[in-house]
Amino acid sequence: MSVIRSVVRGVGSYLPERLVTNADLAAEVDTSDEWIVQRTGIRERHIAADGQMTSDLGVRAARSALADAGLEASDIDLIVLATSTPDQTFPATAATIQAELGITHGAAFDLQAVCSGFVFALSTADAHLRTGMFKRALVIGAETFSRILDWTDRGTCVLFGDGAGAVVLEGVAAEAAGARGVITSHLRTDGRHRTKLYVDGGPSSTQTVGHLRMEGREVFRHAVGMITDVIEDAFAATGESADTIQWFVPHQANRRIIDASAQKLQIAPGKVVTTVDRHGNTSAAYIKLALDVARKDGRIQDGDLVLLEAMGGGFTWASALVRW
Ligand code: ACO
């Protein structure tokens, strides 16, 4: 049986038009631009318009990734959507995106791993492509976290934003793929930490949507150790290292977590892609937004080895190495 690898064909993203700066937030809650920038690195975030749903953002990002790949929607036979803010409890928002794109074959489903969702979704799509069950996948992260924020809680409302990103993966025979493709991925969950970052509602508990709640210091305390451990697993599995990667595209949650993780792993600051200042924490959408920026501004070139990581509610955390 021939070996198949999942190769990145295209990447895209979408941010809603409405921009909310730190100064705008300071007019609503007791905070300041200085506090937010110093603690998180965030300067502004985008917020979805009334009536604009997660699926709308996901469709825009998917179309931009398809255009980048030079493919039609009909070329796609798998959609994996990472989201914690679905349009409805069911059907899966991926089904809505599939229908909006006019795709009537293959499969589409949602995946819920909060901020780690993109790496979980990439790994899931990669596993499906490598079996040959599907040929081309859209891996999408789309979130409207603005809808689950408590806008009176300054400890959380300043951190998040809305947005979407998408990657097109194609299953290619290893001989044709060469060194390209998803090299490895490592996924972790430890549910003992599930009350440190959660939403206080849901269909089977309160029959409401609920609001995001977080013990910020506890998240921070665990983040760097978990992120660096799962990256070291990726290095150990492949023989790659901080020296052999070209780019580190981390979860865009917080500048301090990114800097501390890169420092602990001895990744040179010039290899770190940081876009959190422009969109805040967009949860599952973040990595793809950052990937899109770094691909389109010419930093990520064909053949580059890109290290991805994420950490979020659950706790979940994950890493992946992708040869572009
Ligand atoms: N503006 C001004 N003051 C604030 C704000 C705000 N927006 N939020 C909290 N404060 C105050 C607090 O009330 C507290 O005041 P007090 O000392 O008078 O009680 C003070 O600032 C310090 O509060 P801490 O929570 O201890 O602040 P900390 O330095 O830990 O920073 C932060 C808070 C930024 C949330 C930090 O804990 C953090 O980054 N945690 C990680 C959170 C994260 O990234 N979550 C994303 C999801 S998980 C992930 O993606 C990795």
Side-chain angles (χ1 to χ4, degrees):
M1 205 177 90
S2 70
V3 175
I4 296 173
R5 299 183 79 155
S6 310
V7 169
V8 177
R9 283 286 305 263
V11 54
S13 63
Y14 173 72
L15 288 168
E17 270 174 40
R18 188 177 158 216
L19 192 63
V20 175
T21 64
N22 291 346
D24 295 333
L25 284 180
E28 302 292 327
V29 288
D30 183 13
T31 189
S32 65
D33 177 56
E34 189 191 7
W35 192 96
I36 300 170
V37 171
Q38 195 246 324
R39 305 285 174 122
T40 72
I42 299 165
R43 295 184 182 277
E44 57 194 30
R45 70 286 294 142
H46 294 250
I47 301 293
D50 290 346
Q52 195 176 29
M53 291 184 284
T54 294
S55 60
D56 299 317
L57 275 49
V59 167
R60 300 284 284 261
R63 289 211 167 105
S64 111
L66 286 168
D68 188 46
L71 293 170
E72 300 295 326
S74 57
D75 295 322
I76 300 296
D77 55 0
L78 175 66
I79 298 176
V80 185
L81 170 69
T83 189
S84 302
T85 46
D87 293 1
Q88 296 154 282
T89 303
F90 78 81
T93 302
T96 304
I97 292 175
Q98 187 208 41
E100 291 287 323
L101 292 174
I103 303 170
T104 53
H105 60 276
F109 59 89
D110 290 1
L111 183 151
Q112 162 52 301
V114 204
C115 297
S116 308
F118 170 60
V119 185
F120 274 61
L122 184 86
S123 177
T124 302
D126 172 46
H128 279 95
L129 293 176
R130 278 191 288 110
T131 65
M133 186 189 281
F134 299 101
K135 180 69 182 150
R136 289 189 202 88
L138 260 172
V139 182
I140 306 171
E143 301 280 17
T144 46
F145 259 52
S146 61
R147 307 273 157 72
I148 54 165
L149 293 176
D150 174 352
W151 287 98
T152 65
D153 175 16
R154 67 179 181 171
T156 54
C157 75
V158 303
L159 301 176
F160 296 90
D162 300 337
V167 165
V168 177
L169 280 185
E170 180 171 291
V172 176
E175 312 83 67
R180 298 178 66 204
V182 178
I183 311 292
T184 193
S185 54
H186 297 261
L187 313 181
R188 304 277 181 267
T189 301
D190 185 345
R192 288 175 299 177
H193 299 293
R194 67 193 181 283
T195 57
K196 295 186 175 104
L197 174 55
Y198 68 104
V199 169
D200 62 4
S204 105
S205 54
T206 60
Q207 297 79 57
T208 62
V209 171
H211 292 107
L212 183 147
R213 306 292 173 205
M214 180 177 72
E215 293 176 40
R217 275 190 197 175
E218 277 296 297
V219 175
F220 198 97
R221 196 166 71 78
H222 285 87
V224 177
M226 288 176 160
I227 289 165
T228 51
D229 278 357
V230 79
I231 289 174
E232 272 158 9
D233 288 347
F235 287 160
T238 57
E240 302 292 351
S241 70
D243 292 332
T244 61
I245 61 160
Q246 273 73 45
W247 300 107
F248 176 41
V249 185
H251 174 29
Q252 305 290 318
N254 180 310
R255 179 89 211 207
R256 286 190 302 159
I257 295 176
I258 295 172
D259 290 348
S261 306
Q263 203 173 13
K264 193 167 170 202
L265 291 158
Q266 296 188 304
I267 297 173
K271 292 183 175 182
V272 183
V273 177
T274 310
T275 54
V276 65
D277 55 321
R278 295 182 232 170
H279 51 67
N281 183 348
T282 57
S283 192
Y286 67 92
I287 276 191
K288 279 165 283 195
L289 286 166
L291 275 179
D292 196 27
V293 169
R295 178 68 178 159
K296 301 218 164 110
D297 70 13
R299 273 180 285 180
I300 298 178
Q301 298 286 327
D302 289 349
D304 282 357
L305 184 61
V306 180
L307 170 65
L308 311 174
E309 65 79 2
M311 186 260 177
F315 290 145
T316 52
W317 64 110
S319 66
L321 277 168
V322 181
R323 176 78 63 187
W324 221 258

